[in-house]
Amino acid sequence: MKLAIIGYGRMGHMIEEIAKQRGHKIVCIIDVDNPDAFDTSDYRSADVAIEFTTPGTAVENILKSFVSKVPVVCGTTGWLDALPDLKDMCDKGQGTLLYASNFSIGVNIFMAVNRYLAQIMNDFPEYTPSMTEIHHIHKLDHPSGTAITLAEDMVSRVTRLDCWKEPEEGKPVGENTLPINHERRGEVPGTHIITWDSSVDKITISHEAKSREGFALGAVKAAEWLKGKKGYYTISDMLSDVTHTQGIF
Ligand code: NAD
């Protein structure tokens, strides 16, 4: 298929490489030096565009793509206030968008397992949950967005959990609270570990990214899936469809 890339940074480069490996043609690459390229026949010839830029530029890029009638897969994070308006436009037939805060297929499978385990654990109060996320030293924010999603999925399924919290040094988090610990180490791409501990045993599930490649591969697979569709979608819609499952993702 024909792909356009919006944002030629770390993700844009990796998406280009993976898309070519999967036999796709890159018909247009847009970055800060050619913002008018949305209005070209090359851009308009794309079956799907993949957008990984910055929180301040993603919405404008999506809107420009809607005008050029090219469906967009967007992985840029940090602009979610605008999502309801964009969804609304897609519902009215004014554009096509697939958004995911995490395109790693493995992370999305891990999230499904986490939700299932949390549902089971709601009936076993002898198990106490905790989470640890580990990332490279360049990551400034904590906990990670993925850890927050995992934690919110647990809090909404386990009645003895009211909220999540990052422990202050040496202090317990308190009753009915899921602790999220973070570690910053070397170049670790992203590890999330969830533990359910009892006096007699311990259940641990974890996801360990080996590189950023998983995000790029997920975004290219999402673009392949989005081709020819109209409307607003998430990665859950894609995974439910390709796995022929309902209610898991
Ligand atoms: P990066 O800084 O390496 O690249 C961003 C690129 O966007 C740069 O080349 C920059 O010049 C370009 N850019 C800025 N403004 C632009 C504009 N108006 N039009 C076109 N291009 C523009 O960042 P990155 O590591 O590639 O990450 C990009 C975004 O993707 C971030 O928001 C990051 O959090 C997010 N991300 C999401 C996932 C996911 O799975 N959803 C995974 C990794 C990163």
Side-chain angles (χ1 to χ4, degrees), residues 178-196:
L178 170 73
I180 308 181
N181 305 288
H182 72 273
E183 290 175 29
R184 295 291 172 261
R185 256 197 246 150
E187 296 299 328
V188 177
T191 297
H192 294 85
I193 304 162
I194 295 165
T195 300
W196 292 87

Side-chain angles (χ1 to χ4, degrees), residues 77 99-112 114-115 131-135 139 141-154 164 178 180-181 184 189-194 206-209 215:
T77 50
Y99 171 73
S101 61
N102 195 316
F103 271 102
S104 155
I105 305 292
V107 161
N108 282 279
I109 294 168
F110 182 62
M111 284 175 174
N114 175 53
R115 287 191 291 269
M131 192 188 308
T132 298
E133 59 100 336
I134 310 167
H135 281 88
K139 187 170 176 65
D141 58 315
H142 56 81
S144 68
T146 302
I148 293 173
T149 303
L150 289 163
E152 287 176 351
D153 281 347
M154 293 165 78
W164 59 264
L178 170 73
I180 308 181
N181 305 288
R184 295 291 172 261
T191 297
H192 294 85
I193 304 162
I194 295 165
S206 70
H207 177 271
E208 195 179 324
F215 303 120

Side-chain angles (χ1 to χ4, degrees), residues 5-15 29-35 38 51-58 60-61 64 74-79 99-104 108 139 146 212 214-216 218-219 235:
I5 291 175
I6 314 168
Y8 201 38
R10 283 167 293 189
M11 287 302 295
H13 277 85
M14 203 166 272
I15 285 161
I29 296 177
I30 301 180
D31 206 284
V32 280
D33 48 355
N34 62 337
F38 287 93
E51 209 275 2
F52 279 76
T53 62
T54 69
T57 54
E60 199 187 333
N61 288 337
K64 285 181 181 172
C74 177
T76 306
T77 50
W79 56 270
Y99 171 73
S101 61
N102 195 316
F103 271 102
S104 155
N108 282 279
K139 187 170 176 65
T146 302
R212 294 164 69 87
F215 303 120
I235 195 161

